[in-house]
Amino acid sequence: MNVNKKTIVDIDLKGKKVVMRVDFNVPLKDGIITDDTRIKAALPTINTIIEAGASLVLLSHLGRPKGEVKAEFSLKVTADYLAKLLNKDIAFASDCIGADVVKQANSLSAGDILVCENTRFHKEEDMKAKTDEDKALQLKFAEELSKLGNVYVNDAFGTAHRAHASTALIAKYVDTAVSGLLLEKEIKYLGNTVANPVKPFVAIIGGAKVSGKLQVLTSLMDKVDSILIGGGMAYTFLKAQGHEIGNSLVEDDLIDTAKSILEVAKEKGVNLMLPVDNVAADDFSNDAKIETVGNDIPKGYMALDVGPKTAELYAAQIANAKTVLWNGPMGCFEMSNFANATMTVCKAVADSDATSIIGGGDSVAAVNASGLADKMSHISTGGGASLEYLEGKDLPGVMALNDK
Ligand code: AMP
């Protein structure tokens, strides 16, 4: 999907009051942030805004408090963390709407930052508003949020697929609504690069189930030269081809769908590749008895990784690619005995000179585990959002922004 939205560099920020939606939905354990990737990913936009002479109010959600104030989901911890990262004082507001926070926002000077409390402490933020009354409540909440600034910036790609108050509806109540640098990068790679790929374009699609990737497979079919299938979803395809798959993961209700995907690929001249060998185990465990087998999985065994020959064949395709999109691991890479193909693919992507886009979710975890993350052109920060974008859906958080 090609979109052309204004970003923070297209507008004059000097003296402006910016209210920005970020994704500070970080994992916490015992009140400590265990992975700060999302906070660090927002830093380029935060720094650009304050260096340009604007003040900045940050909105985010954290966890799923379901419209209630719950101390364990307070964003105070992220405000303190940001203060350490930037080595400057960061103000915190105990709510994200109301007279007090508006007063705090108004009193900020250029370069000051205020982090507001969790937007999801209000049910209006993420309610599924079906009745007119609920819709009005949600819009009212969005209007209240808009009082925190005169320029709205969205840099929260992870929630851009949701039409929530702080991710999309707020844009109705400000004159200027633009994307941050992180959101812009996501749009550039997942949208524009995938919409107009330099060929050959190779998509590597893995993960647990066909059902989770069905729409991506369908929407990529018109754009790609090759699709390399791995992960649990491969075995529904192999069963559709008449193979024995033992106890491997399968979606029997999607056998016909798998057959039709294979047909469509043939009609469109897409080189859809399936495994030629597999690593089969007698139990879903790293300590299981393991055998490398062909495409008929022995009785009592389940395939937990695609085999070494398959991994090499896939690596050769990747080596020739100019654009690579990867979504979903080739096997149960969380267990070291079934991580080989995922790591081989990862290395092949890192070694290729293709524009490489890692499309969120578990493949991001695999790339991070490999230590090769800096060799990829783009690693998406949004699991669900990246999948929906790749499926060709409009993301409300992107569509709400001003066109260039
Ligand atoms: P997804 O969220 O659909 O991308 O699926 C990712 C999950 O698929 C990971 O947790 C993998 O462990 C799992 N997975 C990959 N290959 C297989 C397989 N052959 N059998 C079962 N699960 C798998």
Side-chain angles (χ1 to χ4, degrees):
M1 192 196 345
N2 244 327
V3 289
N4 205 5
K5 296 294 180 181
K6 275 193 183 157
T7 80
I8 52 166
V9 296
D10 296 318
I11 59 169
D12 181 13
L13 288 164
K14 195 165 187 320
K16 295 280 166 31
K17 296 203 162 293
V18 175
V19 52
M20 172 156 80
R21 179 56 155 97
V22 287
D23 182 4
F24 280 0
N25 182 29
V26 288
L28 292 173
K29 192 160 194 303
D30 303 325
I32 310 276
I33 297 171
T34 55
D35 182 348
D36 63 0
T37 310
R38 287 178 173 160
I39 298 180
K40 284 196 169 141
L43 290 183
T45 310
I46 291 174
N47 284 326
T48 304
I49 291 171
I50 57 174
E51 280 162 19
S55 63
L56 181 59
V57 176
L58 297 176
L59 300 173
S60 179
H61 78 283
L62 175 62
R64 293 194 172 134
K66 300 196 170 142
E68 284 173 38
V69 177
K70 291 185 180 157
E72 71 265 36
F73 296 119
S74 173
L75 278 166
K76 177 80 170 62
V77 61
T78 66
D80 294 343
Y81 198 86
L82 186 63
K84 275 199 206 115
L85 281 181
L86 296 178
N87 194 23
K88 80 188 245 127
D89 287 339
I90 304 285
F92 183 73
S94 57
D95 202 347
C96 59
I97 57 164
D100 288 348
V101 63
V102 170
K103 200 169 149 203
Q104 257 178 296
N106 283 339
S107 67
L108 296 175
S109 305
D112 287 349
I113 301 176
L114 168 70
V115 174
C116 295
E117 188 54 285
N118 199 334
T119 52
R120 289 195 191 167
F121 282 179
H122 295 266
K123 69 175 188 320
E124 294 85 353
E125 162 71 341
D126 56 340
M127 75 200 303
K128 289 192 178 64
K130 292 206 175 85
T131 62
D132 286 347
E133 205 181 354
D134 279 353
K135 282 180 192 158
L137 268 178
Q138 196 170 29
L139 286 173
K140 181 79 192 124
F141 178 68
E143 188 178 7
E144 290 301 313
L145 291 174
S146 76
K147 293 178 182 166
L148 299 172
N150 45 27
V151 171
Y152 169 69
V153 177
N154 190 3
D155 211 24
F157 183 72
T159 46
H161 58 316
R162 306 280 181 224
H164 292 165
S166 72
T167 63
L169 303 177
I170 182 175
K172 291 181 197 288
Y173 301 99
V174 290
D175 294 335
T176 309
V178 301
S179 90
L181 303 175
L182 175 66
L183 190 77
E184 183 201 18
K185 189 165 177 249
E186 296 275 8
I187 295 170
K188 177 178 154 204
Y189 281 102
L190 293 171
N192 303 356
T193 304
V194 170
N196 308 301
V198 182
K199 302 267 192 160
F201 180 14
V202 174
I204 311 155
I205 307 291
K209 293 180 174 180
V210 179
S211 50
K213 306 287 158 78
L214 201 55
Q215 273 175 285
V216 179
L217 281 171
T218 310
S219 96
L220 287 174
M221 208 60 96
D222 286 321
K223 303 183 186 102
V224 294
D225 299 288
S226 301
I227 299 180
L228 318 179
I229 302 265
M233 61 188 283
Y235 305 99
T236 299
F237 281 97
L238 290 185
K239 188 165 180 185
Q241 289 186 325
H243 289 288
E244 295 294 333
I245 58 158
N247 296 337
S248 306
L249 200 65
V250 67
E251 288 169 284
D252 280 314
D253 53 330
L254 289 180
I255 297 272
D256 285 340
T257 308
K259 282 183 189 162
S260 86
I261 290 174
L262 293 172
E263 273 306 307
V264 173
K266 212 189 235 167
E267 278 162 26
K268 295 192 186 264
V270 172
N271 173 31
L272 191 150
M273 295 178 73
L274 290 170
V276 295
D277 62 344
N278 300 278
V279 179
D282 69 348
D283 191 14
F284 190 80
S285 154
N286 205 34
D287 303 321
K289 195 169 146 215
I290 293 172
E291 279 189 44
T292 300
V293 296
N295 271 353
D296 287 305
I297 312 301
K299 271 208 170 64
Y301 280 76
M302 61 186 83
L304 294 183
D305 195 9
V306 304
K309 270 191 218 145
T310 308
E312 286 311 323
L313 287 171
Y314 287 6
Q317 288 289 318
I318 294 163
N320 285 326
K322 286 276 177 272
T323 307
V324 173
L325 170 73
W326 180 15
N327 190 303
M330 298 288 96
C332 296
F333 73 102
E334 298 94 335
M335 294 188 268
S336 59
N337 286 333
F338 310 107
N340 178 56
T342 299
M343 289 306 147
T344 303
V345 160
C346 190
K347 192 168 177 314
V349 178
D351 287 345
S352 84
D353 58 9
T355 298
S356 50
I357 302 159
I358 317 302
D362 280 306
S363 13
V364 173
V367 168
N368 286 334
S370 74
L372 295 167
D374 62 344
K375 298 275 191 306
M376 310 299 174
S377 312
H378 181 64
I379 299 178
S380 180
T381 53
S386 72
L387 208 54
E388 289 201 16
Y389 208 30
L390 292 169
E391 286 167 1
K393 293 186 186 145
D394 284 339
L395 303 186
V398 176
M399 299 319 286
L401 304 175
N402 301 153
D403 289 320
K404 269 200 185 175

